[in-house]
Amino acid sequence: MRVGQRAVLMFGFEKKDQANIRPDELRAYRKAAGIYLGLTEDEIAAIIKQKALSEIVPAKKGPEDGKNIQKRSIRGSARKHV
């Protein structure tokens, strides 16, 4: 995670389905996340356009601001979070 810039979620799971990930998996995910964090905005945009990466952004501001997220495709330079 780079505060104020970008966060990368590499793998998520429910504890009922899997207790934890192995140490070697954790190392691999951390290495991959480091690569993504080092990419430029243009490189990230290209990967999202190829649908090899999904972007999750905060939902539109409203009475429950920050409680919902939505997935969207890249449109212009308004993208803030990956």
Side-chain angles (χ1 to χ4, degrees):
M1 178 173 178
R2 297 255 161 78
V3 176
Q5 294 179 10
R6 179 181 302 149
V8 178
L9 175 63
M10 296 301 304
F11 180 70
F13 60 92
E14 293 187 42
K15 290 299 235 177
K16 68 179 178 109
D17 297 330
Q18 183 174 334
N20 214 337
I21 60 174
R22 296 185 319 263
D24 62 319
E25 292 174 315
L26 180 59
R27 282 190 299 276
Y29 286 126
R30 284 181 174 163
K31 183 176 181 179
I35 292 168
Y36 281 112
L37 288 171
L39 296 176
T40 66
E41 291 297 314
D42 289 339
E43 291 168 325
I44 291 288
I47 295 169
I48 291 170
K49 188 174 182 179
Q50 295 170 2
K51 299 192 185 290
L53 185 67
S54 295
E55 178 180 31
I56 300 171
V57 296
K60 293 180 181 178
K61 291 187 178 192
E64 295 187 31
D65 186 31
K67 294 184 180 176
N68 297 309
I69 58 171
Q70 64 185 11
K71 188 173 151 182
R72 69 173 186 171
S73 60
I74 183 75
R75 298 260 193 269
S77 62
R79 185 172 50 76
K80 295 284 185 190
H81 304 279
V82 175

